[in-house]
Amino acid sequence: MGVNIWLKPLKFTLSIFIFLLTSAYIIPWLPYTRAKQHLIEGLLIITMVVEIACILYQASRGQQSHFNITDSIGRVLFPLMGIMISITYFTYAWILLDLFRLDTQLSPAMLWALRISIAIFLFGGISGFMMASGLKHNIGVADGGIGLPFTNWSTVGGDLRVSHFISLHALQMLPLIVLLMSELNISSTITLITVVGVGILHGVFAIFTLIQAINGHPFIRLD
């Protein structure tokens, strides 16, 4: 689509690395048995390794990894990637349920940071499903074409990847705010109010960019 074929594998490798690192940091905070912790960590590692392996393999063939069902390999790998991502989402839905169901040693601010960030993360599944079911990420224009640097988000039409990205990376943003405010010795009450407020704004922004894309409007118009 007019960009270096290894740019997408690079972006996904970075994103998956950050996601797994975040997960490795978060999961031990929950009151899980060692067996349950290992099960969840194993599911996340396996699904993400399969995901990036499919992307790398398709790039090595000079083929698109997503939305590509033009040959027999693509018709196997693209649905396989969808299954892996679905397992990841269900695993995090399980974690979110446990954050409401189980007693933890987390501070109220961190507990709500995780609850809100995972809820927003799961909201990203809506844009993901829309892209997968429609076999495209742009709305109103064809995939590819003029886009923002590095992300390649369309600057002439709607792009579902914007909301998807914003939703997924709430998982890093909100817990980091709590950790930073804790290092600065800011009171727990102010930290809790801040993280809930930022979380609500982050969620609204994810919804806004999804509606924006659905209506065919670019995140940033440069034409």
Side-chain angles (χ1 to χ4, degrees), residues 9 40 94 100 108 125 132 173 179 199 218:
I40 290 177
W94 183 10
F100 281 98
M173 181 178 174
L179 293 174

Side-chain angles (χ1 to χ4, degrees), residues 177-203:
I177 290 174
V178 177
L179 293 174
L180 178 61
M181 295 183 75
S182 176
E183 286 295 319
L184 295 174
N185 294 316
I186 297 173
S187 76
S188 57
T189 301
I190 293 176
T191 302
L192 175 59
I193 293 171
T194 300
V195 78
V196 170
V198 172
I200 291 171
L201 289 175
H202 195 116

Side-chain angles (χ1 to χ4, degrees), residues 7-81:
L7 181 59
K8 183 171 186 175
L10 172 62
K11 290 189 292 184
F12 270 75
T13 299
L14 289 173
S15 183
I16 287 172
F17 172 76
I18 292 170
F19 169 70
L20 288 178
L21 188 64
T22 304
S23 300
Y25 200 71
I26 289 173
I27 293 169
W29 291 346
L30 281 83
Y32 287 160
T33 63
R34 185 172 295 275
K36 185 173 180 179
Q37 181 177 331
H38 286 172
L39 172 61
I40 290 177
E41 290 171 343
L43 285 171
L44 295 176
I45 291 170
I46 291 169
T47 54
M48 290 298 96
V49 167
V50 172
E51 180 80 5
I52 195 61
C54 291
I55 293 170
L56 289 169
Y57 178 66
Q58 286 292 67
S60 72
R61 297 176 62 231
Q63 297 289 322
Q64 289 181 236
S65 51
H66 288 74
F67 323 133
N68 184 357
I69 54 174
T70 57
D71 62 10
S72 58
I73 294 177
R75 285 191 289 271
V76 171
L77 294 187
F78 182 50
L80 176 61
M81 292 166 66

Side-chain angles (χ1 to χ4, degrees), residues 38-208:
H38 286 172
L39 172 61
I40 290 177
E41 290 171 343
L43 285 171
L44 295 176
I45 291 170
I46 291 169
T47 54
M48 290 298 96
V49 167
V50 172
E51 180 80 5
I52 195 61
C54 291
I55 293 170
L56 289 169
Y57 178 66
Q58 286 292 67
S60 72
R61 297 176 62 231
Q63 297 289 322
Q64 289 181 236
S65 51
H66 288 74
F67 323 133
N68 184 357
I69 54 174
T70 57
D71 62 10
S72 58
I73 294 177
R75 285 191 289 271
V76 171
L77 294 187
F78 182 50
L80 176 61
M81 292 166 66
I83 292 169
M84 295 299 104
I85 292 300
S86 297
I87 293 172
T88 301
Y89 273 102
F90 282 119
T91 301
Y92 256 93
W94 183 10
I95 294 172
L96 179 60
L97 178 63
D98 284 343
L99 284 169
F100 281 98
R101 188 175 61 88
L102 303 177
D103 292 328
T104 72
Q105 300 300 313
L106 295 170
S107 68
M110 183 58 79
L111 180 59
W112 278 102
L114 291 177
R115 286 171 174 173
I116 296 171
S117 64
I118 294 174
I120 297 172
F121 172 86
L122 295 174
F123 173 79
I126 296 176
S127 51
F129 175 78
M130 292 177 67
M131 287 187 280
S133 61
L135 297 179
K136 62 179 182 178
H137 52 71
N138 284 355
I139 295 180
V141 295
D143 284 358
I146 303 172
L148 295 175
F150 189 67
T151 64
N152 295 310
W153 294 339
S154 178
T155 58
V156 294
D159 197 324
L160 293 165
R161 294 175 298 177
V162 180
S163 179
H164 196 62
F165 175 88
I166 291 168
S167 299
L168 297 188
H169 291 289
L171 200 58
Q172 288 80 42
M173 181 178 174
L174 299 184
L176 280 174
I177 290 174
V178 177
L179 293 174
L180 178 61
M181 295 183 75
S182 176
E183 286 295 319
L184 295 174
N185 294 316
I186 297 173
S187 76
S188 57
T189 301
I190 293 176
T191 302
L192 175 59
I193 293 171
T194 300
V195 78
V196 170
V198 172
I200 291 171
L201 289 175
H202 195 116
V204 169
F205 190 41
I207 294 170
F208 169 77

